[in-house]
Amino acid sequence: MDREAIKTDELKALYLLNNMHGMYSDKLLRIYEHFTSFADAYRADAKEYYEAGLFVRKQTGEAFDELKRRENTLLHRAESFGRQGIRLVSMFDEAYPKRLDNIKDKPPLLYVAGHMPDEVRHTAAMIGARNCSEYGRTVARMFAGELAGKGVQIVSGLAYGIDIEAAYGSLGSAGESYAVLGNGINICYPRHNAEAYDRMRHGEGGIISEFPPDTAAIGYHFVLRNRIISGLSDVLIVIEAAKKSGTAITVGYALDQGKEVFALPGRIDDPLGYGCNRFIKEGANIITESKDILDYFGIGDEEENDTALVTADMGENERKVYEVLGMEPMHIEKISANAGLDIADTLTALAELESEGLISSPRQAFFSR
């Protein structure tokens, strides 16, 4: 975004106010309600804020005055956004997500790299424990991959554990993955997830934040971003959650927003199963396969018919091989055993299916749809 991209005084004022220390969405919305214009709010002096009860502490007024002294610096920084692939989407823009319009304390301003989730496509958020089990990792990646393969958009928080597995699962199925950050959009946190971050912001989905670029990752920001994760989605999927878990906060947001919650049941002696089992006892839907979500969206039968159409003109061996393959890569020997074919016939069928673009080989000797 260059300076010309801040096309109105309203957006300019909103951007500047958003950069004031401690100026979160709830306060921005109260300010807009009082002044009915961010431009008028920015032009006001601290005294008007105190009289309206919008400022209480002396330090807040001082921060407002300091913001005005930083105006040129902040606008100069905005000139680099375009080179970084960052754009601003305000609540006044047509591009603003309709799914967020009615959530509590909706973010008046979003920073976006890549693109936003398609408004008309089914979208699922997937969350869970950062310190998840290998089982949780496998299930999260598998479910996200299968859903993405059916056209479902996946939203997560790009955290360790379940979040990043969901991201890689959807990206691995040529799907689109979206991450909502608890820090500035130009910061990949944690850095370990840089590959997924880069892929999402450069065309395979998008990165979204309500916090200005360069904002550090702090605990409270992650609590706030959770309402956007659930808000952007049609359903929330929980894969593993401990007794004391931030996941419960996101589940609460989802329920407040009228979203359906699905939880993977866990063993009763597994601490990572406690949260999901509690959510189920309290009314969450049980998820044991991705078809549970597809059925909720009403696309299961349609996809089964699509598979039938794809296999209708196949030779017998190609059909057998295709039907045993899924979104998770499978080794040739397992494909051969499951299809009831010898290795030679399996290899021939795989070569034919791959040449027609119906399957792919993500790594040597492994194949998937």
Side-chain angles (χ1 to χ4, degrees):
M1 187 191 79
D2 55 24
R3 201 180 281 246
E4 185 180 342
I6 304 183
K7 295 180 179 178
T8 66
D9 288 342
E10 193 70 5
L11 180 57
K12 172 184 170 182
L14 174 54
Y15 163 70
L16 292 169
L17 286 166
N18 186 229
N19 277 270
M20 178 178 157
H21 179 70
M23 186 63 76
Y24 295 114
S25 292
D26 57 344
K27 185 173 289 186
L28 279 170
L29 292 171
R30 290 202 304 273
I31 287 171
Y32 181 76
E33 182 179 3
H34 176 78
F35 289 99
T36 69
S37 162
F38 287 116
D40 288 345
Y42 186 74
R43 284 190 290 265
D45 58 32
K47 181 181 178 182
E48 293 179 66
Y49 281 81
Y50 286 118
E51 290 174 348
L54 295 167
F55 290 172
V56 177
R57 300 168 64 242
K58 178 182 177 182
Q59 292 92 328
T60 309
E62 291 173 347
F64 184 60
D65 293 336
E66 174 62 21
L67 173 69
K68 293 189 175 183
R69 288 192 290 270
R70 295 169 54 217
E71 177 177 332
N72 287 335
T73 300
L74 292 169
L75 292 175
H76 179 71
R77 183 176 69 173
E79 294 176 1
S80 70
F81 290 172
R83 295 189 295 275
Q84 298 178 61
I86 299 170
R87 70 183 189 280
L88 273 60
V89 178
S90 81
M91 65 182 191
F92 307 111
D93 295 336
E94 289 186 8
Y96 189 82
K98 293 180 176 58
R99 288 184 173 102
L100 296 183
D101 268 339
N102 297 313
I103 73 169
K104 183 181 179 182
D105 296 334
K106 70 178 183 180
L109 184 63
L110 294 170
Y111 300 84
V112 182
H115 51 274
M116 303 283 259
D118 190 310
E119 295 282 8
V120 299
R121 288 176 56 191
H122 299 297
T123 307
M126 188 173 291
I127 62 170
R130 286 175 169 82
N131 187 27
C132 62
S133 69
E134 284 303 312
Y135 170 69
R137 292 183 188 279
T138 300
V139 171
R141 189 175 288 229
M142 179 178 68
F143 282 0
E146 291 173 350
L147 291 171
K150 308 299 185 186
V152 178
Q153 301 171 119
I154 303 297
V155 177
S156 69
L158 202 69
Y160 286 118
I162 298 303
D163 281 25
I164 191 60
E165 295 302 325
Y168 279 127
S170 54
L171 293 171
S173 294
E176 293 183 345
S177 191
Y178 299 86
V180 184
L181 306 185
N183 47 265
I185 197 170
N186 59 336
I187 300 171
C188 177
Y189 179 84
R191 188 63 198 166
H192 183 267
N193 296 339
E195 180 188 346
Y197 170 88
D198 289 338
R199 290 176 65 180
M200 282 187 267
R201 70 174 294 170
H202 291 119
E204 297 180 66
I207 304 291
I208 302 159
S209 178
E210 66 179 314
F211 304 108
D214 300 326
T215 300
I218 62 175
Y220 182 56
H221 290 174
F222 292 97
V223 174
L224 289 176
R225 68 90 192 264
N226 289 344
R227 79 192 192 288
I228 302 177
I229 291 175
S230 57
L232 286 171
S233 306
D234 301 313
V235 300
L236 179 70
I237 303 170
V238 187
I239 308 291
E240 294 190 331
K243 184 175 184 178
K244 293 183 178 180
S245 169
T247 300
I249 297 173
T250 314
V251 170
Y253 281 132
L255 294 174
D256 288 343
Q257 294 162 4
K259 307 296 174 69
E260 286 292 326
V261 176
F262 288 78
L264 180 76
R267 295 198 324 252
I268 61 172
D269 62 346
D270 182 357
L272 289 172
Y274 183 94
C276 285
N277 290 340
R278 190 187 80 203
F279 299 145
I280 291 169
K281 288 171 69 175
E282 293 174 352
N285 301 283
I286 294 175
I287 180 172
T288 57
E289 56 182 335
S290 59
K291 188 175 182 295
D292 295 328
I293 304 298
L294 296 174
D295 287 346
Y296 175 79
F297 287 144
I299 60 176
D301 291 339
E302 176 185 337
E303 293 300 325
E304 290 175 8
N305 291 337
D306 288 345
T307 300
L309 289 172
V310 169
T311 59
D313 296 327
M314 287 182 184
E316 183 178 357
N317 289 352
E318 286 78 13
R319 179 181 55 77
K320 288 180 178 179
V321 169
Y322 185 79
E323 288 179 347
V324 303
L325 289 173
M327 306 311 299
E328 281 294 300
M330 185 182 296
H331 192 269
I332 288 174
E333 291 185 358
K334 186 173 182 181
I335 297 171
S336 174
N338 290 354
L341 300 172
D342 60 34
I343 291 292
D345 286 341
T346 300
L347 286 170
T348 301
L350 287 168
E352 178 64 23
L353 291 169
E354 190 171 17
S355 70
E356 294 177 6
L358 295 173
I359 64 171
S360 62
S361 179
R363 57 186 186 274
Q364 187 175 5
F366 284 80
F367 293 83
S368 63
R369 290 192 190 179

